[in-house]
Amino acid sequence: MAFSFNFDVEVETAPPLLSAAEEKPKLEKEVLQEDENNEAGKHQDSRMETGVKKAKEHIPPQDCEHLLENTVTETFSLGTLPPIHYLNESVLEQTASERADREMILSQNIGSHSDLISGVYEGGLHIWECTIDLLEHLESAGETFSGKRVLDLGCGAGLLGILALKRGAKEVHFQDYNSTVIEELTLPNVMLNCDDDDDDEEGDSDSAASKKKKSPELPPQAGLAKCRFFSGDWTSFLPLVLSSEPPPQYDLIFTSETIYNTAYYPSLHEVFLQLLAPAGLVYLATKAHYFGVGGGLHLFESFVEQKDVFNIKSLKEVEEGLKRHVVALSFKKRD
């Protein structure tokens, strides 16, 4: 542990007088900072008053190029999967002051040194190991996506939905708790992968993540046209997406590291119940137990069994470190 000692003796001096020209930008900066703080306060107040983080749909801007300027990206490569590009998490955090962050989650995440701030930030900036587990399973199982409607629930960086998009899915919808995650991470990541030439690139297959700088190009609008982006908690997300005409029915729902809190199980189960197509499949990647939070696979399985709506099947187990699982949920057949 490093210690710092300050032996300077404070001497009170009058602050230097500023000219009108110097004072104006100073005041404008203070007002701007106050507005940002007020906006963040509004987000927090709305959650406190209702207990629900209001859902919204994020429409990609017509001019998307600025979202990819001066980005540092990494590439995930695995076996037969197409390369998946994504923004470097560390650079994203280090440039927090330059980004639109009305929820203040980038700064709070850095300041708290935490991957999760319950009810404020639900971990969407980090690519968790269970997401990689699910990608590995999809590669080994040869899952196909052509013509399918896919929901990446609790998407974060969006790697699972991006894989479906690059493999021919008809529609891919992305949802995360935080609007900042959708706007500053998910949407740019989708744009990085909308270039049709990506599937033909010959990357370094020996490296799971190779860093590189990418010169951004405006992605084909056809790729983004297949996508929709949502933020907010599941309780408010569900009625918002069901208000679409016609309401979506997803052939595949991906969700990774989303059962860490037992309080979320009812709303998560309701999303599956209302949005999964009759013959659809939910892929869930999770740790066996989440210490300090309380959730885990056993508790979720018990919850699902009590509801008696879905079958749950084990697909993959990872013994390294804390035990991890990939499971599939499908509707029970009724007589």
Side-chain angles (χ1 to χ4, degrees):
M1 181 179 294
F3 295 89
S4 175
F5 299 91
N6 186 355
F7 295 103
D8 292 339
V9 179
E10 294 186 1
V11 179
E12 294 186 2
T13 59
L17 295 177
L18 299 177
S19 67
E22 293 171 318
E23 187 70 26
K24 183 178 179 181
K26 176 176 178 291
L27 290 174
E28 289 177 346
K29 183 176 181 180
E30 290 174 350
V31 169
L32 180 61
Q33 183 63 52
E34 183 178 352
D35 288 344
E36 290 178 352
N37 292 339
N38 289 340
E39 186 68 27
K42 289 177 183 177
H43 284 285
Q44 294 173 357
D45 291 343
S46 64
R47 287 193 297 270
M48 292 173 63
E49 291 172 2
T50 65
V52 172
K53 183 174 174 61
K54 187 176 180 181
K56 64 177 291 188
E57 181 169 5
H58 300 258
I59 308 300
Q62 289 294 322
D63 181 8
C64 300
E65 189 172 359
H66 69 281
L67 295 176
L68 298 180
E69 289 177 351
N70 302 316
T71 57
V72 177
T73 73
E74 299 189 24
T75 300
F76 175 83
S77 299
L78 175 69
T80 60
L81 297 185
I84 302 174
H85 312 301
Y86 59 95
L87 297 187
N88 179 282
E89 176 189 354
S90 298
V91 173
L92 189 68
E93 292 180 346
Q94 291 168 12
T95 58
S97 61
E98 304 170 11
R99 300 179 180 277
D101 183 21
R102 293 185 177 88
E103 296 171 302
M104 305 292 286
I105 66 165
L106 291 169
S107 55
Q108 289 189 62
N109 185 39
I110 296 170
S112 66
H113 303 288
S114 173
D115 289 321
L116 178 68
I117 307 173
S118 183
V120 178
Y121 164 63
E122 298 291 347
L125 295 172
H126 186 67
I127 297 176
W128 300 91
E129 51 267 78
C130 287
T131 298
I132 306 303
D133 295 338
L134 182 44
L135 287 167
E136 290 175 346
H137 170 76
L138 294 172
E139 193 272 339
S140 62
E143 176 66 75
T144 59
F145 303 98
S146 181
K148 293 181 178 179
R149 292 179 171 89
V150 177
L151 172 63
D152 191 345
L153 191 68
C155 61
L159 270 59
L160 296 165
I162 289 170
L163 172 62
L165 184 65
K166 299 187 79 166
R167 280 288 176 90
K170 182 177 182 180
E171 293 180 33
V172 182
H173 295 176
F174 298 85
Q175 181 275 338
D176 195 87
Y177 183 82
N178 292 108
S179 60
T180 301
V181 171
I182 291 293
E183 294 172 352
E184 299 295 327
L185 183 61
T186 315
L187 178 53
N189 283 350
V190 172
M191 291 168 56
L192 283 170
N193 291 274
C194 278
D195 188 342
D196 293 336
D197 293 336
D198 283 348
D199 291 338
D200 299 325
E201 289 181 6
E202 295 184 2
D204 181 4
S205 59
D206 296 329
S207 174
S210 56
K211 292 186 178 181
K212 64 176 183 177
K213 286 188 181 284
K214 184 176 180 71
S215 176
E217 296 179 357
L218 189 65
Q221 291 299 321
L224 283 178
K226 295 181 178 181
C227 303
R228 295 176 69 184
F229 303 87
F230 301 90
S231 67
D233 73 15
W234 297 324
T235 303
S236 60
F237 162 71
L238 184 56
L240 175 60
V241 75
L242 285 175
S243 68
S244 304
E245 194 59 47
Q249 291 278 281
Y250 299 105
D251 302 296
L252 295 172
I253 297 178
F254 295 133
T255 190
S256 175
E257 305 269 17
T258 52
I259 62 170
Y260 53 85
N261 190 331
T262 57
Y264 300 158
Y265 291 1
S267 57
L268 180 61
H269 188 276
E270 190 65 16
V271 169
F272 295 162
L273 176 63
Q274 296 290 337
L275 297 183
L276 187 66
L281 203 63
V282 176
Y283 282 107
L284 166 67
T286 179
K287 293 183 175 68
H289 183 73
Y290 291 87
F291 296 98
V293 188
L297 181 58
H298 177 69
L299 289 174
F300 186 71
E301 284 178 325
S302 298
F303 182 89
V304 170
E305 289 170 2
Q306 290 173 5
K307 292 293 184 180
D308 196 31
V309 175
F310 294 103
N311 291 310
I312 187 165
K313 177 183 178 182
S314 176
L315 300 176
K316 177 184 176 74
E317 292 185 359
V318 181
E319 299 286 349
E320 300 172 3
L322 185 60
K323 193 172 183 179
R324 307 191 301 274
H325 301 264
V326 175
V327 301
L329 284 77
S330 58
F331 283 111
K332 288 186 174 182
K333 295 182 179 179
R334 304 295 183 183
D335 296 331

